[in-house]
Amino acid sequence: MKKLFILIPLFLLAILVLTGCKTSPKHPGITTEDLRTHADSIALDATDTRDLHHALAVIDSLENKGELSKIRTIFFRTIAYNVHGEYRASMDLYYQLADIDVNSLDDQADYECYFYSYKDYLRLLCEMKRYDEALREAYAVDKKMKSVGDESFTLHHDIAEIIGECQLYLGQTDEAARNFQKSLKGVHDKLNVSQKPLDFRECQHTMKSVAMAYINAGAYRQALPWIERQDSLYTIASNRSNRDTVYIDEMKADISYCKALYEHARGGLRAAEIAYRDYLSTYTSKNLENIINSTEYLMLTRRYNEAADNYMMLQRFMQESGYEVDLENIGRYLLPKYRANVLAGRKDSALSVASQIAEAYDSALIRQKASDARLMAAVHDTEGKERLIAEQKTQLSQQQLVGTAVVLVLLVFIFVEYTLRRRKAYMKLNEVNRQLSEEVRGSLNVISGFSQVLSNPNPDLDWDDLRAISKQIQENCDRIGHTIDKTLDPKASEKSKETTVKH
């Protein structure tokens, strides 16, 4: 069932490019060129053949001809890799998403490819239990998409569910519950806009993911409402005139298997077995991948022989799916197969699986190291760019700090200089005032003294004394007038002095 949801974005893109969804909310009026629509059709057909090498060759050819944009190329290539279980090859491409400028996306189909590629990237990180990284990537792309006016990324029901799932496994239960409610709102919003069979299928799968997250976390009480919501959605979808029998069958299989795990986890063994039989009654359960995946329930219920029987089809499943025997698939499929055969008492089969693991291990380890080296190179390249930006920001901040410090020093210097000059001017003015005051006071004292002498009714003075007193009074009056002129107009005072000297 996982493959179906790898192909859902591909189906949605096909609708966009083949039914004429032409305009982009980010770039109103921009249309998808006919050439690109034709290229998308070719890439879709190539991917649908399930032939990985053929699909990749077609996509590369279209890219080299300039008929596929970078984001479309990433989208189609990751779909091809994911369908065949080559998730590490997808990771190489997903790391390139960080280098894509959202403003450079040409049309709505490019934008959808960007959105769904990031969604599949986050889901893959979550399945690889890299929850911290998934959260960082989710918030980073959310910020990028908000910069071009899209507020819906973390509110999309699948994205909100993935974020909540990561938070739940990281112990952030309250934050997870809030994001699961965002996911539920996203489901309602989606169904209010469109109620096509695929819409019901997608929304039910989102609800199943929440329920399974709670079951795996041992929070069974919180899982129950999400199982019940799936039931309600299934009933509505089943009763619609435009129902799709394939999707209805897949929904029933999902819900029944989810119920089986839930009931077994809470000790309802009879209810769990009834739910599991309901699951087995669906056509979906006969799918090779689901036969292999259903061994989880068989192992939980200690039906080791049935699990070992199912695993007998593992080689066929991996060949048809194009899965390589890498370390991830050794851990996901071969080790559980070995354990099932051991517990079933099938020693020869267990030994055969062990030999297969031993033979594949060296080459799988080499491939993973090479893949990890490519991934680390991509990570370091991204981190290097981020580090360069951070260093540039730091340098800019330092330059701003230095500039601010220089301005502050200059302001302090100017303030000190201004204060000193004012102080110096004030002291000079005080000195001048003191001198003027002494000059005026001295002259006034002389005039006052002679005035007292002259005011005596019987002064004992002759004519020469009177003339000398008169001269002293006149000179001191002139001195007071000169002092006043010098105070009011120093320049005029200098001119007056020069005139007096000449005369």
Side-chain angles (χ1 to χ4, degrees):
M1 281 182 276
K2 290 182 181 178
K3 285 187 181 177
L4 170 68
F5 290 94
I6 292 171
L7 292 173
I8 281 176
L10 196 62
F11 177 76
L12 293 175
L13 180 63
I15 293 174
L16 279 171
V17 298
L18 299 178
T19 62
C21 181
K22 296 286 186 177
T23 60
S24 167
K26 183 174 73 70
H27 299 295
I30 294 180
T31 59
T32 306
E33 295 91 356
D34 290 338
L35 180 62
R36 290 196 172 181
T37 301
H38 179 62
D40 289 328
S41 301
I42 295 173
L44 283 166
D45 291 341
T47 307
D48 196 45
T49 64
R50 306 296 180 91
D51 184 333
L52 178 61
H53 298 296
H54 171 70
L56 295 179
V58 170
I59 294 167
D60 288 344
S61 175
L62 292 171
E63 182 189 22
N64 293 334
K65 292 178 182 178
E67 297 180 14
L68 281 182
S69 63
K70 180 178 180 180
I71 183 58
R72 276 176 156 96
T73 302
I74 291 174
F75 177 80
F76 285 117
R77 286 181 66 89
T78 53
I79 290 293
Y81 281 130
N82 290 342
V83 166
H84 292 83
E86 296 190 16
Y87 302 115
R88 290 190 172 275
S90 292
M91 292 297 289
D92 283 332
L93 294 169
Y94 286 139
Y95 276 115
Q96 297 178 26
L97 292 173
D99 296 329
I100 292 179
D101 180 4
V102 184
N103 290 288
S104 69
L105 301 178
D106 294 333
D107 51 52
Q108 178 67 9
D110 266 7
Y111 201 70
E112 293 290 333
C113 286
Y114 181 79
F115 178 92
Y116 280 104
S117 292
Y118 248 112
K119 181 172 76 69
D120 291 342
Y121 178 29
L122 296 178
R123 170 53 63 193
L124 184 55
L125 288 173
C126 188
E127 290 182 355
M128 295 173 72
K129 304 186 186 306
R130 292 159 64 172
Y131 305 121
D132 286 331
E133 187 176 350
L135 289 177
R136 286 197 304 272
E137 289 294 332
Y139 296 137
V141 69
D142 180 58
K143 185 177 180 180
K144 288 175 68 174
M145 295 179 76
K146 283 181 178 177
S147 69
V148 295
D150 190 334
E151 300 292 327
S152 67
F153 184 73
T154 56
L155 298 178
H156 186 277
H157 60 92
D158 274 345
I159 306 300
E161 184 278 318
I162 293 171
I163 292 174
E165 192 173 334
C166 291
Q167 291 172 329
L168 184 64
Y169 292 138
L170 290 172
Q172 303 169 13
T173 54
D174 292 339
E175 294 87 342
R178 284 193 287 270
N179 273 295
F180 288 150
Q181 288 303 311
K182 287 183 183 179
S183 178
L184 183 60
K185 183 180 183 303
V187 165
H188 291 157
D189 291 344
K190 183 180 181 69
L191 294 177
N192 285 335
V193 173
S194 175
Q195 294 190 359
K196 296 178 181 178
L198 180 60
D199 297 321
F200 285 102
R201 180 71 178 105
E202 276 196 287
C203 292
Q204 174 268 321
H205 184 266
T206 299
M207 292 177 176
K208 177 206 170 186
S209 297
V210 176
M212 290 299 297
Y214 275 129
I215 290 172
N216 293 333
Y220 308 121
R221 183 172 60 85
Q222 288 86 347
L224 182 59
W226 293 93
I227 296 175
E228 293 172 343
R229 290 180 181 119
Q230 291 182 76
D231 267 335
S232 299
L233 201 62
Y234 171 74
T235 301
I236 296 171
S238 300
N239 293 329
R240 291 184 63 84
S241 59
N242 67 337
R243 63 184 177 276
D244 184 296
T245 56
V246 174
Y247 289 152
I248 294 298
D249 187 77
E250 290 172 349
M251 291 173 73
K252 180 181 178 181
D254 261 2
I255 296 169
S256 299
Y257 193 71
C258 185
K259 284 181 178 178
L261 293 178
Y262 166 77
E263 293 293 348
H264 181 271
R266 62 186 295 271
L269 303 184
R270 184 171 181 278
E273 194 57 30
I274 292 173
Y276 185 67
R277 284 201 296 268
D278 286 342
Y279 165 74
L280 292 178
S281 70
T282 65
Y283 290 103
T284 302
S285 68
K286 309 302 188 293
N287 179 284
L288 258 181
E289 182 177 17
N290 293 328
I291 290 174
I292 301 301
N293 290 336
S294 65
T295 54
E296 177 186 8
Y297 177 80
L298 296 175
M299 294 295 286
L300 287 173
T301 55
R302 299 183 179 182
R303 292 149 71 171
Y304 304 126
N305 277 304
E306 290 182 52
D309 287 342
N310 283 7
Y311 273 127
M312 290 176 67
M313 291 177 272
L314 178 60
Q315 185 173 357
R316 175 186 155 201
F317 162 68
M318 296 185 71
Q319 287 176 344
E320 291 184 1
S321 301
Y323 281 14
E324 293 184 356
V325 186
D326 57 16
L327 290 183
E328 186 171 344
N329 286 325
I330 287 175
R332 179 179 292 179
Y333 296 117
L334 293 183
L335 288 177
K337 179 180 179 179
Y338 169 79
R339 183 167 177 266
N341 279 281
V342 168
L343 293 174
R346 303 180 183 183
K347 296 181 180 180
D348 291 342
S349 296
L351 182 59
S352 175
V353 177
S355 298
Q356 184 182 0
I357 294 173
E359 291 174 2
Y361 181 79
D362 286 341
S363 58
L365 183 61
I366 292 171
R367 281 198 301 272
Q368 177 154 331
K369 285 183 176 179
S371 178
D372 286 343
R374 292 194 301 272
L375 291 179
M376 291 305 297
V379 171
H380 287 317
D381 182 57
T382 301
E383 290 179 347
K385 292 177 181 177
E386 293 176 348
R387 187 163 50 251
L388 179 60
I389 293 172
E391 289 174 356
Q392 290 174 343
K393 288 182 178 179
T394 301
Q395 290 176 357
L396 181 59
S397 298
Q398 290 174 345
Q399 291 172 358
Q400 291 174 339
L401 183 62
V402 170
T404 302
V406 170
V407 170
L408 288 174
V409 170
L410 288 174
L411 288 175
V412 171
F413 176 78
I414 292 171
F415 177 76
V416 171
E417 179 70 12
Y418 173 75
T419 303
L420 291 175
R421 286 180 179 273
R422 279 186 60 87
R423 180 177 176 80
K424 186 176 180 180
Y426 181 75
M427 293 175 65
K428 184 176 181 180
L429 180 61
N430 282 343
E431 179 62 21
V432 171
N433 288 338
R434 186 186 62 77
Q435 292 175 358
L436 292 176
S437 177
E438 289 178 354
E439 290 180 10
V440 171
R441 188 179 293 110
S443 297
L444 287 175
N445 287 337
V446 171
I447 294 171
S448 176
F450 284 125
S451 297
Q452 291 177 5
V453 171
L454 293 175
S455 65
N456 193 327
N458 298 308
D460 186 13
L461 301 171
D462 56 21
W463 178 250
D464 291 334
D465 291 332
L466 290 173
R467 189 167 53 189
I469 289 173
S470 177
K471 182 179 179 182
Q472 287 290 326
I473 291 173
Q474 183 63 44
E475 288 177 354
N476 281 281
C477 286
D478 290 342
R479 186 176 293 113
I480 291 173
H482 174 70
T483 300
I484 293 172
D485 288 340
K486 185 168 62 175
T487 303
L488 297 177
D489 188 0
K491 292 183 179 180
S493 176
E494 290 297 326
K495 291 179 181 178
S496 175
K497 188 184 292 184
E498 290 174 2
T499 303
T500 303
V501 171
K502 288 180 182 178
H503 288 300

